[in-house]
Amino acid sequence: MNINRNILTLDEFTIQQLRDFPAATGELSSLLRDLGLASKRVNVEVNKAGLVDILGDFGTTNVQGEEVKKLDVYANNQFMGALKHGISCAGIGSEELDDIVIFDDPVSNNSKYVCLFDPLDGSSNIDVNVSIGTIFSVYRRVSELGKPCTKEDFLQPGNKQVAAGYVIYGSSTMFVYATKRGVNGFTLDPQIGEFCLSHPDIKCPAKGKIYSVNHGNFFQYEQGVKEYITACQKKTKADGGPYTQRYIGSMVSDVHRNLIKGGIFTYPGTTDKPKGKLRLLYECNPFAFIIEKAGGKATNGKQRILDIQPTELHQRTPFFIGSSSMMDELETYLAANK
Ligand code: AHM
Ligand code: MG
């Protein structure tokens, strides 16, 4: 058997990072391990979604009035359960739940982190075998240790994130996470059931040729967005084109591809929904943190996503994210149409 021991597992990697910081407590590594475990359980169910009666509508609606699929519920319970049983998380917020869940037991009350997650993003794609994902975000508590965590711990701006990441259940399953030290990607080796470091120190190319947008909403976008999209369509070789339009409708897949290959992803506000569709805390902040650590940018069209002070758990925001020079170009169109 060919055993390549140069390849670190997710746990080995986070422990190695700890070695560089002897004062660290290991709580973040332990939290990432809990998230990794939950995502492996979700992966198993996602992979057999077509085979078992877990597929399909659950028949209820989530707090945004959207249909909930069974796997959303399963994934939510796996992530919540793994974090509750762990020793690093004082409470969670989930896109699937109306309110935060405060674990409130002696160990959890002494844990220094809280975690927000979208347990299964892109769930409308489950029935048609398109890649879906989990998105997570970790904050250091601002409330007093030893007591239950509070809503203030969750309503922090994205620039306070300690770590953020996503899992993509795709042609292979990947766990990608960022800390202030950078972005690293791990691919699940199904033979040993471990995430293995496959994409060390991910950097988003400053320029790409892919733009991702729901063209069906084109006529509902503000003028600057329309002009930028039109400019993307007109790109020629002379100005860095031609561009390619790619939109899966599963943000984890769309942003993952653009992160690796270079590109821009947008979910602008529309006349019907001026704040767009995506949620600041569960979807935009984690991806904004990851892309910035990889050298890219993320805004709501007016300000940096990570500087927005949240006021509600489930608030939505227009979202523009991607390669730095493509974002710069987008911003010139938005600014010119203010
Ligand atoms: P969800 O959280 O209900 O799954 O919705 C989020 C998803 C994103 O993954 C994706 O980018 C977007 O919705 C697609 O929306 P639309 O079909 O309106 O373009
Ligand atoms: Mg979502």
Side-chain angles (χ1 to χ4, degrees):
M1 200 193 299
N2 179 17
I3 300 174
N4 184 350
R5 287 307 291 154
N6 292 325
I7 297 176
L8 294 174
T9 68
L10 174 62
D11 290 353
E12 286 174 329
F13 180 83
T14 59
I15 288 166
Q16 193 189 58
Q17 303 254 304
L18 268 182
R19 284 170 175 246
D20 298 342
F21 286 92
T25 60
E27 266 190 75
L28 185 61
S29 307
S30 145
L31 190 145
L32 290 165
R33 194 185 55 230
D34 297 340
L35 292 169
L37 173 65
S39 63
K40 281 189 261 185
R41 289 188 172 137
V42 171
N43 182 56
V44 169
E45 294 306 313
V46 167
N47 281 331
K48 62 183 187 198
L51 295 173
V52 291
D53 189 31
I54 205 159
L55 178 71
D57 300 350
F58 200 45
T60 56
T61 52
N62 71 11
V63 288
Q64 278 98 27
E66 294 154 346
E67 208 173 62
V68 174
K69 307 280 186 177
K70 276 187 185 177
L71 274 173
D72 298 37
V73 179
Y74 179 83
N76 185 61
N77 292 342
Q78 288 307 323
F79 282 95
M80 191 166 65
L83 292 169
K84 186 169 167 49
H85 294 134
I87 54 161
S88 313
C89 186
I92 58 111
S94 164
E95 193 197 284
E96 291 302 331
L97 301 175
D98 219 339
D99 210 348
I100 56 169
V101 177
I102 299 170
F103 293 154
D104 196 10
D105 60 71
V107 173
S108 302
N109 289 348
N110 277 302
S111 303
K112 61 179 177 210
Y113 298 115
V114 295
C115 189
L116 288 142
F117 51 81
D118 181 350
L120 214 51
D121 182 67
S123 52
S124 63
N125 290 309
I126 294 170
D127 296 1
V128 288
N129 228 336
V130 167
S131 300
I132 47 182
T134 298
I135 312 166
F136 63 86
S137 172
V138 181
Y139 291 84
R140 189 169 284 114
R141 290 172 60 181
V142 289
S143 58
E144 200 183 323
L145 273 186
K147 296 196 168 154
C149 63
T150 65
K151 193 159 265 176
E152 282 61 51
D153 296 324
F154 297 85
L155 293 178
Q156 300 188 57
N159 57 34
K160 300 282 188 202
Q161 286 171 104
V162 172
Y166 61 87
V167 184
I168 178 167
Y169 310 100
S171 46
S172 56
T173 298
M174 274 190 78
F175 186 108
V176 178
Y177 82 94
T179 62
K180 64 179 179 201
R181 301 174 72 186
V183 187
N184 290 282
F186 302 79
T187 302
L188 184 64
D189 178 345
Q191 288 194 314
I192 59 168
E194 292 285 353
F195 287 107
C196 296
L197 182 62
S198 52
H199 295 61
D201 197 20
I202 295 173
K203 296 287 180 216
C204 180
K207 221 176 154 5
K209 294 188 177 197
I210 298 171
Y211 72 103
S212 309
V213 65
N214 185 337
H215 264 288
N217 294 335
F218 182 87
F219 291 105
Q220 288 204 51
Y221 295 145
E222 63 179 273
Q223 189 58 23
V225 173
K226 286 184 191 160
E227 287 184 14
Y228 175 70
I229 294 171
T230 307
C232 288
Q233 292 173 313
K234 288 183 176 166
K235 291 275 180 197
T236 61
K237 209 169 179 184
D239 52 2
Y243 278 8
T244 297
Q245 200 274 351
R246 291 278 180 269
Y247 189 75
I248 296 170
S250 181
M251 183 172 65
V252 176
S253 315
D254 276 316
V255 180
H256 174 71
R257 181 203 51 236
N258 293 1
L259 171 69
I260 306 283
K261 292 192 166 185
I264 190 165
F265 171 92
T266 71
Y267 203 111
T270 60
T271 35
D272 286 351
K273 294 179 181 164
K275 291 185 173 167
K277 176 181 185 188
L278 302 176
R279 293 85 172 163
L280 176 63
L281 299 190
Y282 308 107
E283 293 163 331
C284 305
N285 268 339
F287 271 117
F289 183 82
I290 296 163
I291 203 92
E292 285 201 7
K293 295 299 168 208
K297 292 186 174 182
T299 75
N300 66 358
K302 295 190 176 75
Q303 85 180 112
R304 184 178 172 229
I305 287 288
L306 295 181
D307 288 340
I308 300 173
Q309 173 61 55
T311 52
E312 296 165 41
L313 281 173
H314 292 281
Q315 90 189 57
R316 297 174 195 261
T317 176
F319 193 44
F320 304 90
I321 181 167
S323 294
S324 56
S325 75
M326 297 174 88
M327 288 292 294
D328 291 343
E329 187 178 357
L330 165 75
E331 279 170 354
T332 62
Y333 284 91
L334 299 182
N337 282 282
K338 275 219 173 106

